[in-house]
Amino acid sequence: MASLSNQQLRFLKEQGVSLSQVIDASGLSSKDRVTKMETLGASFYYGGAICKAGGHSLRTKPGHCIQCDTSKIAYQLRHTASGHVYLAYSWSRQYAKVGYSKAYPEERVGFLCRENYGNANDWELKHTIFVSKSAGRYEFNIHARLEQYRKPVLYEKYGGVFVECREIFSCPLPIAGSAFENALRSL
């Protein structure tokens, strides 16, 4: 059995990761580790292999070092969190946007319009569902179903900053709506 070092405990606290999200995976096979993590609702583990880059052992369920790349923390938490998954559509551009929001997807769509997200200001909320767990997984399932329509769009945010949108799909609304509904059936 491994235990968390003071440095690891400090790191987790700084990153806002609850200790209830972390398990000791010492001596477990990959399959057993994943099963235990899913059973306990954990997102991270320690006690496995040490990463080569920094000698760390705090990892995501798929095995990514969260100390070397802290962006993996937000991704993992979002992937397992509850929230609203929504489909917005721009008629002027014929773009679908599938996204995730902790609360009030209507407000998120209003933000898309104000920001001129993807060079469109006519976004309308077409579908939304609250997913009690794994909302990010549901969102990415829809993205995968629409992959052939993915259209990265560069747009200028307020203040002259250019951003690439990666959650835009250039397709008719019925295709996007079907992907949304079919993903729901696979939950």
Side-chain angles (χ1 to χ4, degrees):
M1 296 230 84
S3 61
L4 291 168
S5 70
N6 287 336
Q7 179 189 14
Q8 289 172 316
L9 290 168
R10 195 170 36 257
F11 172 81
L12 292 169
K13 184 177 180 182
E14 289 167 359
Q15 296 300 315
V17 175
S18 166
L19 292 180
S20 67
Q21 289 283 307
V22 185
I23 67 159
D24 178 6
S26 299
L28 297 177
S29 68
S30 294
K31 182 180 176 185
D32 289 342
R33 181 189 74 236
V34 169
T35 300
K36 182 176 180 180
M37 291 179 79
E38 288 175 355
T39 300
L40 298 175
S43 298
F44 310 102
Y45 72 92
Y46 63 95
I50 304 296
C51 81
K52 292 180 175 116
H56 308 121
S57 69
L58 285 171
R59 296 180 176 267
T60 62
K61 192 183 302 184
H64 302 288
C65 178
I66 62 173
Q67 289 176 273
C68 287
D69 185 355
T70 58
S71 71
K72 301 294 185 190
I73 296 169
Y75 177 82
Q76 185 66 36
L77 292 176
R78 177 179 175 181
H79 198 71
T80 58
S82 63
H84 298 269
V85 178
Y86 65 87
L87 169 64
Y89 198 77
S90 165
W91 291 102
S92 66
R93 298 285 182 173
Q94 301 221 347
Y95 289 163
K97 186 211 186 291
V98 176
Y100 164 87
S101 176
K102 277 280 197 192
Y104 311 116
E106 300 82 5
E107 289 180 12
R108 181 69 180 139
V109 173
F111 172 80
L112 297 175
C113 290
R114 288 189 301 279
E115 280 288 311
N116 202 36
Y117 185 85
N119 300 314
N121 61 8
D122 64 336
W123 293 101
E124 294 177 12
L125 184 62
K126 295 300 180 184
H127 292 284
T128 183
I129 184 170
F130 179 79
V131 182
S132 61
K133 71 179 205 178
S134 302
R137 186 176 308 162
Y138 178 60
E139 175 192 14
F140 294 125
N141 187 320
I142 301 168
H143 288 184
R145 291 168 187 271
L146 293 172
E147 184 61 38
Q148 67 184 351
Y149 303 102
R150 186 178 300 278
K151 179 166 180 74
V153 176
L154 192 64
Y155 82 103
E156 185 177 0
K157 278 183 79 166
Y158 180 74
V161 176
F162 285 89
V163 176
E164 183 179 38
C165 307
R166 296 188 182 106
E167 296 177 334
I168 288 183
F169 305 90
S170 182
C171 65
L173 179 57
I175 290 173
S178 178
F180 194 93
E181 294 297 325
N182 288 333
L184 176 60
R185 288 186 195 103
S186 71
L187 279 180

